[in-house]
Amino acid sequence: MSDALRPHYRLLHELDERFDQLTAAIHRAATLYESAPPATWRLTGSGDATWLRDALLDMWHQQHQDGRETRNYIAVIAADEPLIEAFQEVNAAKSAISTLLQRIKQSEPGGLSNAKQRLPQRHPDVEKVLRTGGMARLHLKQCWRQLPIVEAPVARVRLAWYSSGRSIKRITVQEAEQKLLQLDSDAPHVRIQLRKLAGIPSSEPLAQVQNQAPLMRANLFFTEPLMDGQTRRALNIAMPLVVPAHEGRLPHIKVPPMEPPAQRTRAKRRDEKLESDAFLPSLRVYRYR
């Protein structure tokens, strides 16, 4: 039966089951980790082994939290094969949740919102969740984001903050004008920007820029070349990085600062395509050079 014909409540019932499977997989992996804690490095320092369970179960919006913000758990775990398999089960359960939530979103208007409000009832510590009040909605990104699991032994891991990320979206002059008119069009600074916009060709493409939150980048150096000849790889991490345990030890780790740099650390590219100063500051819109 297609999702279009399947009753919405059936999808929600399946979501309940999938969420229970996810929390069960998390508890199995966390219990295995806690029973014989492997070599672990954490950005926030030492602590008892229950930190991983708390990190994996952190799937809820906290009170007053920006919906785009995620809480990160930067760590490196040297895992043996049984623990890696347990982490892979967690990832598989997360993927199943992600796929099902997309189907629910497509099945009925408002279906995703209903699902996010429904799932707190199945939280393993539901009374605490409901009592705190600020964790009554599922945080989708924190729910389905994967544990990065490295498939081969790693000799070194170099961790560094990346704080120069930007998302760049092309917009037309007409779109920029509409966005400005949605602001206070009588305000002097808006009128100035509208006049500037009227002074350029209507066919000129513009760029709206959004600075991204700092993230942690892990540069991996493999002990042996991979099948495709690769000797290193770079990836962004928000959850603990899982590497195969080599004699039960962690690889050499270049430790980053506790906090990201306050200012951009990378030099600007010489082939930067955007002007240095915003053309429409209220919209973070730039002209191309």
Side-chain angles (χ1 to χ4, degrees):
M1 180 185 297
S2 68
D3 288 336
L5 299 177
R6 183 181 298 185
H8 185 67
Y9 75 86
R10 292 278 300 278
L11 290 174
L12 291 177
H13 178 68
E14 184 178 349
L15 179 62
D16 291 343
E17 294 179 343
R18 294 286 189 184
F19 191 78
D20 289 347
Q21 291 168 6
L22 172 58
T23 54
I26 287 173
H27 283 299
R28 284 195 296 271
T31 298
L32 191 58
Y33 178 90
E34 294 164 5
S35 63
T40 300
W41 170 87
R42 294 174 59 199
L43 179 63
T44 55
S46 59
D48 62 55
T50 61
W51 72 271
L52 180 64
R53 190 184 303 266
D54 294 336
L56 295 178
L57 289 173
D58 185 4
M59 298 181 286
W60 311 94
H61 282 283
Q62 289 185 349
Q63 195 168 13
H64 308 307
Q65 180 184 357
D66 187 326
R68 298 166 297 180
E69 177 189 347
T70 55
R71 290 180 293 281
N72 297 333
Y73 297 90
I74 308 302
V76 181
I77 299 173
D80 59 14
E81 191 61 33
L83 186 55
I84 288 178
E85 291 177 359
F87 286 142
Q88 289 171 336
E89 290 178 4
V90 171
N91 280 350
K94 284 173 170 283
S95 294
I97 286 277
S98 175
T99 299
L100 184 55
L101 285 170
Q102 294 306 314
R103 287 161 53 194
I104 289 172
K105 180 180 179 180
Q106 296 167 5
S107 71
E108 182 177 296
L112 195 58
S113 177
N114 293 336
K116 289 192 291 184
Q117 293 175 4
R118 175 189 182 96
L119 286 179
Q121 302 294 333
R122 310 191 75 79
H123 192 281
D125 197 6
V126 66
E127 291 184 1
K128 178 182 178 182
V129 170
L130 297 179
R131 186 169 62 249
T132 57
M135 297 172 61
R137 289 189 303 118
L138 184 71
H139 193 309
L140 295 181
K141 287 184 179 179
Q142 290 183 197
C143 175
W144 63 46
R145 62 184 177 181
Q146 300 276 298
L147 283 161
I149 302 175
V150 184
E151 72 275 28
V154 175
R156 290 187 294 138
V157 177
R158 188 173 67 210
L159 297 170
W161 288 105
Y162 179 70
S163 56
S164 303
R166 301 185 299 173
S167 64
I168 301 175
K169 176 186 176 183
R170 281 204 175 199
I171 66 171
T172 65
V173 169
Q174 291 77 12
E175 290 170 336
E177 181 182 23
Q178 292 172 3
K179 290 177 180 292
L180 282 173
L181 291 173
Q182 291 173 0
L183 305 176
D184 183 1
S185 58
D186 291 329
H189 70 285
V190 174
R191 291 202 302 269
I192 291 172
Q193 292 173 86
L194 284 168
R195 286 197 296 269
K196 290 175 63 178
L197 195 59
I200 66 173
S202 60
S203 59
E204 179 177 336
L206 299 171
Q208 188 170 39
V209 177
Q210 175 67 54
N211 291 329
Q212 297 176 337
L215 50 84
M216 184 66 72
R217 180 165 290 175
N219 289 280
L220 312 177
F221 298 82
F222 295 104
T223 303
E224 300 287 344
L226 302 181
M227 294 292 291
D228 59 4
Q230 278 190 316
T231 59
R232 57 183 293 181
R233 178 183 302 163
L235 69 160
N236 301 331
I237 60 171
M239 295 294 284
L241 175 70
V242 181
V243 300
H246 180 63
E247 298 179 353
R249 293 182 284 107
L250 285 165
H252 178 268
I253 298 173
K254 182 179 179 181
V255 177
M258 286 289 294
E259 300 291 337
Q263 298 179 343
R264 181 187 178 101
T265 55
R266 296 180 65 185
K268 285 191 175 182
R269 292 167 54 107
R270 291 186 177 180
D271 60 350
E272 173 67 65
K273 296 181 179 180
L274 302 181
E275 292 185 343
S276 299
D277 298 324
F279 181 60
L280 306 175
S282 296
L283 302 179
R284 303 181 312 279
V285 166
Y286 292 74
R287 296 181 76 179
Y288 288 91
R289 293 182 186 274

